[in-house]
Amino acid sequence: IVENGGDIYLNIKDDISIGIFAGDSPLSGRIALRVAAAETPLGICTSSGTVGHSLSFGVADAVCIKSESAALADAAATSVGNLIRKKSDVKKGLDRAMAIKGVLGVLIVTGDTLAIQGSMELRRA
């Protein structure tokens, strides 16, 4: 497991859960993604408009992308995160993420809104 500020590369032998930190969202720290060892190697990367020092044009608390390529997951999370300027943009974000070739799944948290699509298994943290 290699983690760098919300960007994770995984090549694991046992299934794990990855907690989602989404800043001040009431969902922050309460949800996790289950990753099966058989799915790896893969990347799960997160972008946020409210957490951290990186520039984002969006307001999502967390946009997580799952891909076999960690670099693609990082770029897609940034792209989708920039789209989320209000809660009503979440559906547009899901559609954009799943239209990117190589994206396996997406999770978006903005405030008390949670959206998930594709190959993402949610767990309680």
Side-chain angles (χ1 to χ4, degrees):
I1 299 172
V2 179
E3 191 280 335
N4 182 25
D7 299 331
I8 305 170
Y9 169 81
L10 299 140
N11 192 356
I12 54 178
K13 294 182 183 186
D14 296 308
D15 299 353
I16 63 168
S17 292
I18 298 171
I20 305 297
F21 178 72
D24 292 333
S25 166
L27 300 169
S28 186
R30 299 180 66 196
I31 57 176
L33 293 174
R34 181 187 173 278
V35 179
E39 297 177 274
T40 67
L42 61 81
I44 297 180
C45 296
T46 306
S47 185
S48 176
T50 63
V51 178
H53 63 277
S54 298
L55 175 64
S56 176
F57 298 111
V59 298
D61 295 303
V63 174
C64 298
I65 300 285
K66 180 179 178 181
S67 174
E68 291 177 356
S69 165
L72 177 66
D74 185 22
T78 299
S79 175
V80 173
N82 284 336
L83 278 180
I84 312 296
R85 301 206 175 160
K86 54 190 180 296
K87 282 187 182 183
S88 61
D89 290 333
V90 169
K91 171 72 169 109
K92 182 170 41 171
L94 292 174
D95 292 342
R96 163 77 63 89
M98 295 311 297
I100 299 170
K101 185 178 179 178
V103 168
L104 302 173
V106 56
L107 175 143
I108 299 172
V109 175
T110 183
D112 60 357
T113 299
L114 169 67
I116 191 168
Q117 191 169 347
S119 177
M120 301 286 249
E121 186 178 336
L122 200 58
R123 295 256 168 126
R124 181 173 290 197

